[in-house]
Amino acid sequence: MLPSLRQLQYLKLLAEHGSFSRAADAAHVSQPALSAGVQELERILGAPVVERARSGVILTAVGAEAVRRAEDVLARTEDLVEAARGAGKPLSGRFRLGVIPTVAPFLLPKALPELKRRWPALRLYLREDLTPRLIAALKSGALDAAVIALPYDTAGLDCARIGDDEIMAAAPTDHPWATGERVDPQASDVADLILLEDGHCLREHALSACALEPPKGEDVFAATSLHTLVQMVGSGLGVSFLPQMAVKAGLADGAAVAVRPLRGDAPKREIVVAWRAGSSRAREAELLAEAFRDV
């Protein structure tokens, strides 16, 4: 006998929610029904998949491996259903798209009206999150595609290019960086460098492009978003780097911030649409990338 998709779904929800009651609610079944499904799965596999503890449910080694494989099976099954429903009608139903926070506010306002014009039957579900979590969601089948920035480890994913986004220097208007046409960060004192918090890929892109070490110490400032970063720079707390798409969207307008290109070959990050390799939504992801390029 083989496990059923329903049993695999029960186990996946159990791993996500950590309790039988919450997993049953998410599956829209009674708790006894979900428990019976998990017990039948254990009988088929010949080993326990969960252990009950005071803190909730703990996956066994067999259970953890079963969840990993179940995520792939369920994701491919969902792909099959969506592909069948949308046969001959790309982007005519639900599409779950992730977007990183350093792109979403500057790309989506221009892109969403165009997507609606091209595909009026598209039901787009958006999720803004950091790159590692978006990639994990792609691989688990929780997302169909995601807009991310390269370089980044995209093993197991395919990508379609949207375009390059230049990285620019930002400084208070009375800072030495504000006086020249271009900035050479390696020739400057960047002890007052402010970056986004760990987890934002733009942080690593900027440091790598400028060959800089991240600031260290207890007094180091870190911003939670680009909007906060601009306010910190404008308040004279330090210097930083901004993506050109944010600057063109007016992020630094109205703040006491001078934005300058960097000296030498302009450092860039590559913006792409990524999807799980082998996904049946690949053509639709490519169409989205084409639309994003056009705007």
Side-chain angles (χ1 to χ4, degrees):
M1 292 181 63
L2 296 175
S4 68
L5 292 175
R6 174 71 66 169
Q7 292 163 354
L8 296 179
Q9 184 185 44
Y10 287 168
L11 179 61
K12 180 174 179 286
L13 290 173
L14 199 53
E16 291 174 353
H17 295 279
S19 82
F20 278 88
S21 59
R22 291 194 295 271
D25 288 342
H28 305 291
V29 298
S30 67
Q31 186 172 330
L34 186 133
S35 296
V38 172
Q39 289 174 357
E40 178 62 15
L41 175 63
E42 291 179 321
R43 189 184 70 78
I44 293 171
L45 297 179
V49 295
V50 295
E51 295 177 358
R52 289 174 172 81
R54 287 187 176 182
S55 58
V57 171
I58 300 173
L59 292 175
T60 65
V62 171
E65 177 64 15
V67 168
R68 187 183 70 80
R69 294 175 181 264
E71 286 177 341
D72 184 61
V73 170
L74 292 170
R76 292 180 182 275
T77 305
E78 287 185 9
D79 280 349
L80 170 63
V81 173
E82 291 296 329
R85 287 175 177 172
K89 298 179 293 181
L91 294 171
S92 60
R94 182 190 69 173
F95 196 94
R96 301 161 300 177
L97 180 69
V99 190
I100 56 175
T102 56
V103 168
F106 318 112
L107 176 64
L108 295 181
K110 295 186 297 181
L112 292 180
E114 178 63 14
L115 299 185
K116 184 66 175 177
R117 186 190 69 80
R118 294 190 187 190
W119 301 288
L122 171 64
R123 292 186 294 119
L124 192 63
Y125 292 82
L126 294 171
R127 171 178 167 182
E128 183 178 315
D129 210 336
L130 300 181
T131 306
R133 290 197 284 266
L134 292 183
I135 288 180
L138 284 177
K139 292 183 176 180
S140 70
L143 288 176
D144 298 308
V147 179
I148 62 174
L150 306 181
Y152 203 89
D153 181 8
T154 56
L157 303 177
D158 290 329
C159 300
R161 173 185 169 83
I162 296 176
D164 289 333
D165 187 25
E166 184 177 342
I167 296 173
M168 309 184 77
T173 52
D174 59 353
H175 191 275
W177 280 13
T179 60
E181 292 186 2
R182 290 183 174 270
V183 170
D184 183 358
Q186 292 184 325
S188 308
D189 180 11
V190 289
D192 56 350
L193 181 61
I194 306 171
L195 296 170
L196 292 172
E197 290 181 330
D198 283 335
H200 288 273
C201 55
L202 179 62
R203 170 190 175 94
E204 304 307 322
H205 292 159
L207 290 172
S208 175
C210 301
L212 296 174
E213 291 294 325
K216 299 177 181 179
E218 296 181 357
D219 298 328
V220 171
F221 289 118
T224 56
S225 70
L226 286 176
H227 291 83
T228 303
L229 188 64
V230 166
Q231 295 304 314
M232 294 172 75
V233 172
S235 299
L237 296 177
V239 299
S240 191
F241 301 99
L242 296 175
Q244 187 180 47
M245 68 162 54
V247 175
K248 286 185 174 181
L251 179 66
D253 293 355
V257 174
V259 179
R260 298 288 185 270
L262 293 167
R263 189 167 296 171
D265 293 335
K268 299 174 181 177
R269 59 178 186 163
E270 184 183 9
I271 310 301
V272 302
V273 174
W275 61 91
R276 188 176 61 259
S279 170
S280 63
R281 314 299 301 269
R283 177 54 186 156
E284 294 172 291
E286 291 173 344
L287 288 173
L288 285 177
E290 181 181 321
F292 288 142
R293 282 197 300 272
D294 291 344
V295 300

